[in-house]
Structure formats: structure tokens, C-alpha cells
């Protein structure tokens, strides 16, 4: 930060503005003749007192993305993941499980459903880490198993991983369904209690 930036920052600061108002009051006192020959000390003293009592500068509050902004970012990352998954060579049974999981995740990412921070975190972890890592590990392991046959097929691990992820995403969907059912029930009771 240069000298001119610091100077401009001070000119616009609360300390300078409060000090200037107090200094103007000192000029008013001088014009009435009450300060006499000590008017420079009165004006300077009032400016200094105003600058000292002024509230300190506050830094701006940091902006963190809200649930809607997080979902927008997550949707963009999911589109990137979908492009990656479309290019990967997978056995048909595994491809079906992955498609089912991706469809569920896509439904959860629709606007207006997920706003709970824990659910957002789980979705973000699945999209940005768990699914791509599971598929990438499968692709790498599958290549090595072709070179050295006889080990447990990597498809089994991938199918188990996808099953666990599907269960986790289904849990989020079930929680959302339950929340909506409770909301509907509360609204019904409200309408019934309100009467005609």
C-alpha cells in the first residue's frame, strides 16, 4: 500500500471525520472570540480529541457462500463429474449402479431441496471426492489386474463403494421426504385449527 493510498484512507477514516467536525466546532468558538489568542491550540486540541474518541475502523464482514451459492457451485462440479463418468469404461452392471447413484445425486441437487449444511457437505464430498476417487481407483486397479490376474475383481470393490454412497444419498433423500411430510402435516393442522 503506497503513501497516497494510506493518506487517502486516513482522509476518509472515522478518526479524521470526527476530528474535523470537532475542529470546526473549535473554529466556531474562535469566531465568537472565546478562544482569544490561543485559537490554534483550541482548534488543534478539539481536532485531536475528536480523532481520539472516534470509533475504530471495522474491517468488512467476510462473505461466505449461502446454501444457494454452494448448490450452484456443486451443480457445476457435478456436470464436470458427469462428463468424466461418461468417458470411463465400466462393466454394464457397474455402469447401471453408477447411473442410478448419479441420478439420485442430480435429483438432490435440484434447487429448493437441500439446504442443511450437513447434507450439503455430504453431497459435496460425494461429488468432489468419493465418486471420482472410487471410479478412478477402479480404472487404475482394473488395468493392473489385467497385467497380474488372479486378484479379487476390482468391480466388486467399486460396486460396494457405490452401494455405500447410494445408501448415504438415499438417507439424505429420506430425511428430505420426512421433513416435507412433517411440513405438510403441520400446515394441515394449522388450517384445521384456524377454522372457517
Amino acid at each position: 500500500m503506497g503513501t497516497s493510498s494510506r493518506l487517502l484512507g486516513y482522509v476518509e477514516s472515522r478518526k479524521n471525520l470526527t476530528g474535523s467536525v470537532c475542529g470546526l466546532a473549535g473554529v466556531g468558538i474562535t469566531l465568537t472570540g472565546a478562544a482569544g489568542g490561543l485559537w490554534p491550540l483550541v482548534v488543534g486540541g478539539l481536532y485531536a480529541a475528536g480523532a481520539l474518541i472516534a470509533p475504530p475502523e471495522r474491517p468488512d464482514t467476510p462473505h461466505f457462500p449461502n446454501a444457494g451459492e454452494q448448490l450452484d457451485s456443486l451443480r457445476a462440479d457435478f456436470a464436470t463429474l458427469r462428463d468424466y463418468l461418461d468417458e470411463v469404461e465400466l462393466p454394464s452392471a457397474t455402469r447401471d449402479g453408477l447411473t442410478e447413484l448419479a441420478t439420485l445425486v442430480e435429483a438432490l441437487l435440484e434447487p429448493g431441496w437441500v439446504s442443511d449444511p450437513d447434507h450439503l457437505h455430504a453431497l459435496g464430498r460425494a461429488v468432489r471426492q468419493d465418486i471420482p476417487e472410487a471410479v478412478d481407483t477402479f480404472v487404475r486397479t482394473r488395468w493392473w489386474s489385467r497385467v497380474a490376474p488372479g486378484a479379487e475383481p476390482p468391480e466388486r470393490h467399486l460396486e460396494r463403494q457405490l452401494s455405500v454412497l447410494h445408501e448415504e444419498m438415499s438417507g439424505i433423500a429420506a430425511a428430505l421426504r420426512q421433513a416435507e411430510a412433517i411440513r405438510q402435516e403441520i400446515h394441515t393442522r394449522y388450517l384445521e385449527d384456524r377454522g372457517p
Side-chain angles (χ1 to χ4, degrees):
M1 184 182 259
T3 306
S4 61
S5 296
R6 276 186 289 214
L7 181 62
L8 184 60
Y10 181 75
V11 167
E12 296 173 342
S13 72
R14 293 178 184 185
K15 290 190 174 296
N16 182 51
L17 295 175
T18 306
S20 296
V21 169
C22 291
L24 284 173
V27 170
I29 292 171
T30 300
L31 292 176
T32 63
L38 299 174
W39 69 269
L41 291 175
V42 171
V43 172
L46 285 174
Y47 174 85
L52 287 174
I53 65 168
E57 295 294 322
R58 290 190 321 259
D60 292 333
T61 304
H63 171 74
F64 298 108
N66 61 31
E69 293 168 330
Q70 289 178 29
L71 273 175
D72 290 342
S73 171
L74 200 47
R75 274 188 219 101
D77 291 344
F78 181 70
T80 303
L81 176 63
R82 264 272 162 80
D83 292 342
Y84 164 72
L85 296 177
D86 289 342
E87 294 178 20
V88 175
E89 181 187 330
L90 296 170
S92 60
T94 308
R95 170 68 65 190
D96 293 344
L98 187 59
T99 301
E100 190 178 327
L101 174 62
T103 302
L104 178 57
V105 170
E106 188 172 26
L108 290 171
L109 290 176
E110 285 295 316
W113 289 114
V114 176
S115 59
D116 181 85
D118 292 336
H119 293 165
L120 281 171
H121 175 71
L123 277 167
R125 187 181 57 217
V127 168
R128 295 178 176 135
Q129 179 182 342
D130 295 338
I131 296 172
E133 187 172 327
V135 172
D136 184 60
T137 303
F138 164 76
V139 171
R140 291 169 185 265
T141 307
R142 189 174 189 199
W143 184 86
W144 282 108
S145 67
R146 288 177 183 163
V147 175
E152 184 179 10
E155 291 85 359
R156 287 192 193 145
H157 283 287
L158 180 59
E159 287 167 8
R160 286 168 49 199
Q161 291 166 6
L162 294 177
S163 175
V164 169
L165 288 169
H166 192 278
E167 190 175 317
E168 184 180 14
M169 296 301 108
S170 295
I172 294 173
L176 292 173
R177 275 194 303 272
Q178 183 179 12
E180 288 304 313
I182 291 170
R183 184 174 166 215
Q184 186 179 33
E185 185 180 327
I186 289 171
H187 189 62
T188 302
R189 270 194 246 131
Y190 162 74
L191 292 174
E192 290 172 349
D193 293 345
R194 186 175 71 180

